[in-house]
Amino acid sequence: MSEAQNNGNSRGEPALLVHGGFCQGKVFLLCHPVETIGRNARNSIVIPDSSVSRFHAQIARKKNLFYLQDLHSKYGSYVDLERCDTELPLREGSRIRIGRIEMSFSHAMPEDDSALRAVRELDWSSPLEELVEDSGSRDTISWHIPAKKVPSLQGLSERDAGTLARLAESMQSVFDLDERLAVLMDILFEVFQPDRGAVLLFNQEDGIFEARLQRPVAEDLLISRTILDYANGQKKAVLVLDAAKDERFSQAQSIITMAIRSAICAPLIHRNNVLGTIYLDSRAHTFTYQKEDLTLLNMLAAYAAISIENALLVKQKLESERLAAFGIAVAGISHYTKNVLTGMTGSAGLIDLALLKGDLTMLSRVWPMMRQSTQTISALVQDMLSYAKQREPDWQEWNLNRIVSDIFQNQASRAEELQIEMVLQLDDAMPDCLLDPKSVYDALLNILTNAIDACRGAVRPHITLSTQFLASFDQVQAVISDSGPGVPHKLQEKIFEPFFSTKGSQGTGLGLALARKSIQEHGGQLTLESDAGCGASFCATLPRRRIKPLGQ
């Protein structure tokens, strides 16, 4: 599958343009009668994102028409808000949703940059608001279209309509609340060019509005509380043309002290709830905001409120899942430690007997079992602390080939003893990247030891360790594949859950949970491809440069 970058090198071919999500901004040309889309490398359009199934969907060309068909994917495929249960036709500008990936379809991708920009600025003014997975099912992703419509674009200038579309598209491409607010602030300062600006969010616990982001950054937030209180109390945007002469605010000490000439303020309202406020002001005597500015800010605030509410819901769900995982962890700890403590109790009794008899031979036999038990408990506690705590990786310039080579050497003798063939395949073009070498080493070592355990008893035990540099995505990958019994489809998500183990009393069930957490802390993904009886392949994909993880 050929891929055209945004440099005007496309030649009027039918294409998909990625608007949001993973690989945003890329153009995929549709060159074959049937194009398959998915996470597996055998697809003609490969999108290595966890929300995309291995073989997610296909686009078929029939004469001069194109049709999208979902391939029984986990999260479904959508065309112009309609779920693709059968073949759906694609029209010029059709909006396509594949997992978290947003794309548009073009019959003939334009040749020059200006036309390409026009395609990128298709009307996405009524975007789907992506929420977290439906709490009732892991087999669906739900979207929310706000009950209260975003203000109409009619009557706006072409520039202002473009600003709204750009805000909607930009905020959909990031998931973290602070990142969304940063995108909002960038656009506000670009369009309104204020001296000061802030986004305040309502703290429900304290019942006050707190500055979540402000510019310029200062220790004290110098904004007019008088104007903020008025806007939030009235639940409407406020324009102050000349603060010194405005009867509503002219006597306010904050306005006099800060020499505010013109200010503009809009509450962030979603479902009649004030989530926060956007505040901008200017002290220039030659500049005042106009009513057109208030209209635009009001619309920006409406879009932003939906996006902020979405981000807050995601954060709440993540916190709920963390608490639920903690409950599972407590149950797992109780079961696991009970077995270990039973052994320790027996060992302690034998040690007491050996001391009473002065039998050093018995003591020397029993003490290693006691020491092993204490080490097991210590490792369990350390793993629990690592899983429960969000940590920042110790970023270093490192090469993934070096890490994979080290874990290969670490387990080579064990694999040889078990008569398991182990093969190392390294990408010679692998560049250095920013990562935490110890964290990635521990994650991959855990996966490799699991692979060795899985290959015991296999007819032709075989393990392959490989690396790959994905230059077009600026990512690096490490893949560990084994010829073991594989993982049944219904267990493939469960094995990443804490304290779920297929090893019985031999494992804590924390290994893979910690491995995925370590990779995600790098902003990467750990995925599994497996079929029962056909082995398993774990793929760790990491960004080459440091980025903030999703969902944090």
Side-chain angles (χ1 to χ4, degrees):
M1 175 67 195
S2 58
E3 174 187 311
Q5 301 296 334
N6 295 333
N7 54 11
N9 62 351
S10 50
R11 300 295 180 184
E13 297 282 352
L16 298 178
L17 175 63
V18 182
H19 288 269
F22 192 85
C23 59
Q24 180 179 353
K26 290 191 176 295
V27 176
F28 294 104
L29 301 182
L30 305 177
C31 304
H32 304 103
V34 177
E35 305 279 6
T36 58
I37 306 171
R39 204 173 66 241
N40 191 283
R42 294 197 297 272
N43 290 282
S44 49
I45 299 177
V46 179
I47 304 179
D49 182 89
S50 60
S51 69
V52 177
S53 297
R54 287 181 295 170
F55 297 94
H56 196 111
Q58 71 176 26
I59 295 178
R61 183 191 306 211
K62 300 179 180 180
K63 296 184 179 180
N64 292 324
L65 300 178
F66 290 80
Y67 297 86
L68 186 138
Q69 173 69 57
D70 187 79
L71 300 178
H72 305 290
S73 66
K74 181 177 181 180
Y75 295 135
S77 306
Y78 293 77
V79 176
D80 294 326
L81 311 187
E82 181 180 352
R83 180 152 188 154
C84 184
D85 296 321
T86 59
E87 277 191 339
L88 290 180
L90 298 178
R91 302 176 180 86
E92 184 67 29
S94 284
R95 297 166 55 180
I96 300 171
R97 186 85 176 204
I98 302 289
R100 299 190 187 99
I101 313 304
E102 294 176 347
M103 299 180 282
S104 63
F105 170 76
S106 175
H107 277 288
M109 182 56 61
E111 298 180 7
D112 57 29
D113 286 343
S114 61
L116 182 57
R117 284 196 298 271
V119 174
R120 293 192 67 187
E121 293 172 4
L122 290 170
D123 182 11
W124 292 68
S125 56
S126 300
L128 285 171
E129 271 299 310
E130 180 180 354
L131 291 178
V132 292
E133 294 178 13
D134 190 318
S135 58
S137 172
R138 286 186 173 270
D139 295 326
T140 61
I141 278 186
S142 60
W143 289 274
H144 171 66
I145 301 176
K148 183 178 179 180
K149 291 183 179 180
V150 174
S152 171
L153 298 180
Q154 293 181 356
L156 281 182
S157 67
E158 183 178 348
R159 170 180 170 272
D160 289 350
T163 299
L164 282 171
R166 183 155 53 93
L167 176 71
E169 182 177 341
S170 299
M171 293 188 77
Q172 275 195 309
S173 66
V174 294
F175 297 86
D176 178 73
L177 176 59
D178 290 329
E179 289 183 5
R180 290 191 174 196
L181 295 182
V183 168
L184 173 63
M185 190 66 84
D186 287 341
I187 293 177
L188 291 175
F189 266 71
E190 175 188 332
V191 174
F192 296 98
Q193 298 182 354
D195 290 319
R196 290 178 293 228
V199 177
L200 298 93
L201 297 184
F202 183 68
N203 186 324
Q204 293 185 347
E205 294 182 1
D206 299 331
I208 60 174
F209 288 87
E210 297 177 335
R212 186 63 179 258
L213 185 65
Q214 64 185 82
R215 292 182 186 171
V217 179
E219 293 183 4
D220 297 321
L221 182 63
L222 299 175
I223 64 174
S224 173
R225 291 283 174 177
T226 306
I227 297 176
L228 283 177
D229 292 343
Y230 183 88
N232 293 328
Q234 298 293 321
K235 287 189 177 180
K236 63 181 182 181
V238 175
L239 170 64
V240 183
L241 296 176
D242 190 337
K245 296 180 180 179
D246 194 315
E247 295 180 356
R248 297 170 297 178
F249 314 113
S250 59
Q251 301 303 314
Q253 188 61 40
S254 61
I255 292 175
I256 297 172
T257 302
M258 290 179 281
I260 297 173
R261 169 68 173 175
S262 180
I264 189 168
C265 181
L268 297 164
I269 301 176
H270 183 54
R271 297 179 181 174
N272 207 35
N273 294 320
V274 179
L275 304 178
T277 312
I278 296 173
Y279 174 88
L280 307 170
D281 72 32
S282 172
R283 288 169 287 181
H285 286 274
T286 58
F287 174 82
T288 58
Y289 293 115
Q290 303 300 318
K291 291 183 179 180
E292 293 78 7
D293 297 319
L294 184 65
T295 301
L296 177 58
L297 182 62
N298 203 25
M299 291 188 176
L300 291 171
Y303 277 104
I306 297 170
S307 184
I308 290 170
E309 173 73 7
N310 185 16
L312 290 172
L313 287 173
V314 171
K315 183 178 180 181
Q316 290 172 7
K317 185 172 186 296
L318 289 173
E319 185 61 27
S320 298
E321 289 179 343
R322 189 178 298 279
L323 291 174
F326 182 75
I328 296 173
V330 170
I333 289 175
S334 300
H335 175 75
Y336 185 74
T337 54
K338 178 181 178 181
N339 294 334
V340 179
L341 290 174
T342 298
M344 293 180 70
T345 302
S347 297
L350 292 174
I351 289 174
D352 287 340
L353 181 61
L355 292 173
L356 181 64
K357 294 182 175 181
D359 189 342
L360 294 180
T361 302
M362 178 187 292
L363 187 63
S364 64
R365 288 201 309 268
V366 176
W367 175 244
M369 293 187 290
M370 173 65 82
R371 183 172 55 199
Q372 178 62 41
S373 297
T374 58
Q375 289 174 348
T376 300
I377 291 292
S378 176
L380 173 64
V381 172
Q382 185 59 48
D383 285 348
M384 278 299 304
L385 290 173
S386 299
Y387 183 79
K389 182 180 179 181
Q390 287 291 338
R391 62 180 296 275
E392 179 72 12
D394 180 16
W395 301 102
Q396 298 179 40
E397 282 281 349
W398 214 265
N399 195 288
L400 187 61
N401 281 354
R402 179 177 170 185
I403 295 175
V404 174
S405 296
D406 287 347
I407 67 167
F408 178 87
Q409 296 299 328
N410 180 290
Q411 294 295 305
S413 59
R414 180 175 175 230
E416 186 177 357
E417 289 175 6
L418 297 173
Q419 297 183 334
I420 298 173
E421 182 184 4
M422 203 157 64
V423 177
L424 182 64
Q425 299 174 348
L426 302 179
D427 188 342
D428 294 334
M430 180 66 65
D432 289 344
C433 57
L434 272 178
L435 51 78
D436 183 337
K438 183 180 185 305
S439 176
V440 175
Y441 178 93
D442 290 344
L444 297 180
L445 178 61
N446 187 282
I447 296 171
L448 180 56
T449 56
N450 284 348
I452 292 175
D453 290 339
C455 283
R456 288 184 175 184
V459 177
R460 294 179 180 176
H462 180 90
I463 296 174
T464 300
L465 286 77
S466 63
T467 62
Q468 184 178 7
F469 174 43
L470 304 175
S472 59
F473 298 112
D474 203 27
Q475 293 179 325
V476 297
Q477 276 187 344
V479 181
I480 300 176
S481 303
D482 65 66
S483 61
V487 181
H489 189 268
K490 63 181 180 180
L491 297 181
Q492 288 184 17
E493 279 301 318
K494 285 184 173 293
I495 64 171
F496 291 106
E497 295 177 0
F499 290 99
F500 178 84
S501 177
T502 59
K503 298 180 182 180
S505 61
Q506 299 301 312
T508 65
L510 275 175
L512 286 176
L514 278 171
R516 172 173 274 189
K517 178 176 178 291
S518 297
I519 300 302
Q520 288 176 340
E521 285 172 342
H522 285 75
Q525 296 177 341
L526 178 61
T527 56
L528 165 65
E529 290 188 15
S530 179
D531 289 311
C534 298
S537 180
F538 287 87
C539 177
T541 304
L542 298 166
R544 192 165 67 88
R545 297 181 178 88
R546 177 179 174 181
I547 63 173
K548 192 165 187 176
L550 298 178
Q552 287 190 10

